[in-house]
Every structure is written in structure tokens, then in C-alpha cells.
Amino acid sequence: MGRFQFSFIVFLVAYMTIMDLSIASDEGSVPVEQCYDACSVRCSATHHVGQCMDVCQDCCGKCLCVPSGTLGNKDECPCYRDMTTQEGKPKCP
């Protein structure tokens, strides 16, 4: 395989990976009907799954975004990150 072909394939794979990651974490990238599944992943490591799911689905319904993983990564979803309770504490898990 020539150098150009190899470079093109590497570029194409890198581009597809970056696009896939950017689409997955964009604000508003989770349709409402997928909030339950996204929140199931987000709440999978807590001992309070029911409460976490209720709050997460509320946040997802308003922001249409759920951060990846079970903890952290809230910078992926600024709306989700910035929602607070009446006491000023972070609302979304």
C-alpha cells in the first residue's frame, strides 16, 4: 500500500472517530425517547438507582443530553451541568 493510501486511511479513521465523539456529546444530541437508556448507564453505579433515574430523566428531558459514564464528564453537557436545586446544589447526577 502506498504512503498516500495509508495516510488517507489513517486520516479517515481519525476523522470518523472525532465526528462520532463530537456527535455523542453534543448538547441536545439525546432524543427524549433515549433518555431512559442514557440515564440507565449514568445511574448504573449508584445505590439509589430509582432516585437517580428520576432526576436524570428530568434533566435529560430538559437538556436532551446526558454525560457519558457513571460519574463526572458534566462538561459534555453544560445545561445538565448547570442545573441546580433550590439550595443551589447541582441537580443532575
Side-chain angles (χ1 to χ4, degrees):
M1 182 177 346
R3 182 180 290 174
F4 174 76
Q5 289 174 324
F6 178 77
S7 297
F8 180 75
I9 291 172
V10 169
F11 170 80
L12 189 59
V13 169
Y15 178 78
M16 288 173 34
T17 302
I18 290 169
M19 290 305 296
D20 209 22
L21 289 173
S22 67
I23 290 169
S25 62
D26 278 348
E27 197 80 49
S29 65
V30 178
V32 174
E33 36 308 322
Q34 292 179 9
C35 284
Y36 181 86
D37 293 334
C39 288
S40 292
V41 172
R42 185 74 179 171
C43 296
S44 64
T46 185
H47 294 288
H48 307 284
V49 176
Q51 182 181 7
C52 180
M53 287 292 292
D54 289 343
V55 175
C56 181
Q57 288 182 76
D58 183 44
C59 295
C60 180
K62 292 176 182 170
C63 297
L64 300 177
C65 185
V66 176
S68 61
T70 58
L71 186 66
N73 302 322
K74 287 188 176 181
D75 287 336
E76 293 175 358
C77 303
C79 169
Y80 189 98
R81 176 196 64 210
D82 297 339
M83 289 182 77
T84 57
T85 63
Q86 291 177 341
E87 294 84 29
K89 296 178 181 177
K91 176 178 180 172
C92 306

